Amino acid sequence: MNKKETAEIKKNFSDKSGFFIMERVLTGFVDAEKNVRYAKANACVTMSVEEHDVYDETLKKVLNTNVGKNFCEYEFPNEAYEEGKPQEILYSLLKSELKDEVVCENFLNHIANNITYTGPFAVITAYCVYTIRKKDKNDEFAEGEDEVYRYLLTAICPVNTSSDGFVFDSFNNEITKKVNTELIISKAPSDGFLYPVFSNRSTDINHVMYYAKSASKPNTSIVEDVLGCSFVMSADNEKTSFQSILKTVVGDDLDYMVIKTVNEKLQEVAEESKDDTDRAVIDNTKLKGILTDIGVPQERVEMTDPVFERVCGNTPLTVSNLIEKKTVLTSAGITVNIKPDAADKVRTSVIDGRRCLLIDIDDPTIEINGLPVTLN
């Protein structure tokens, strides 16, 4: 799923959409010892508006449009569809429409038995139906060509006692310390997943989308043990790996201009691929092309293949995870933040034998600690 496809599902995840229905919701509570203490599936039509709104708010957070970082697609291995394997468990749950108690309990027990999680948590899974309107070659809705996308959206939410503090006791007219032992289910999921995937505006049962609230700290046990997929690098790890490759390949030629220009080339790749269904990626071949274009010596460029393979194997890197939104220059006691539109105003040079950072300033008036200063 790309950003556009995720945005379509998220936009239509509402009763106000004429093409969407959230039919049933399964809720489960798992204690700190990984015991399923509660499991129940309810029809949404019987819920109060307030209860329905909480489910909407919680589940919608899983549909994060930061695809490739917080929301990543994984392919099931061939054996995942065998009986008792993750894909088979999910597909059975989907086919049951959350109406089979045994299938629902099996799903919750599978999560509890395979997840690594600190403390108790809640599992909220919705069975949803989205009608996909198809258009003809005249860009008009084609009658009788609609497709139905049925999917499960799961949110895994931490459970904690609410914060204690001081409250005003109006009965005794005094301030007292509040102590609350109730377990509160957070409306901000730590993890979640969407199955099956919505790809090319159609259903793909062989892939699943995994959501992590913190892109830098994904729960690998959910990807590998609950979903049965091979974990790929997090966004932060991809960036670190790319920086390692760049530093090793370019070597002493790595300077401000090389780093700035590589970042600009990555932005161009992302822009050219923004409407593609598949995420934009960069492999050793594309990286060699970029380095050649910006003038890195050919003997250094030829080092790309073995270095890339050693760091990443055969796995390409997600371009959006590599792009820097700003340039940060750091030295002992000095940090300079440079926005993309000002990157060309910065240069490095050697003046009178000293290495210097030069910043072109069009306006002689600048601010230092919020105070205006005029440069003469």
Side-chain angles (χ1 to χ4, degrees), residues 264-320:
E264 290 172 350
K265 291 289 186 180
L266 293 174
Q267 290 173 327
E268 290 176 8
V269 173
E271 180 63 24
E272 292 169 358
S273 308
K274 67 179 182 180
D275 295 325
D276 293 350
T277 300
D278 297 329
R279 63 191 172 98
V281 297
I282 186 167
D283 56 14
N284 55 320
T285 303
K286 289 183 180 179
L287 180 57
K288 286 168 67 176
I290 289 175
L291 297 179
T292 299
D293 288 345
I294 66 175
V296 173
Q298 194 59 33
E299 62 269 19
R300 307 297 305 188
V301 174
E302 293 304 320
M303 296 173 58
T304 304
D305 289 339
V307 173
F308 198 102
E309 183 177 0
R310 186 177 73 248
V311 176
C312 301
N314 296 319
T315 305
L317 301 173
T318 305
V319 171
S320 61

Side-chain angles (χ1 to χ4, degrees), residues 70 102 135 150 160 194 196 206 209 281 286 344 353 357 359:
N70 298 83
V102 174
K135 291 186 176 182
R150 306 175 189 276
N160 297 291
L194 167 73
N206 294 315
M209 298 294 292
V281 297
K286 289 183 180 179
D344 290 333
L357 177 67
I359 303 175

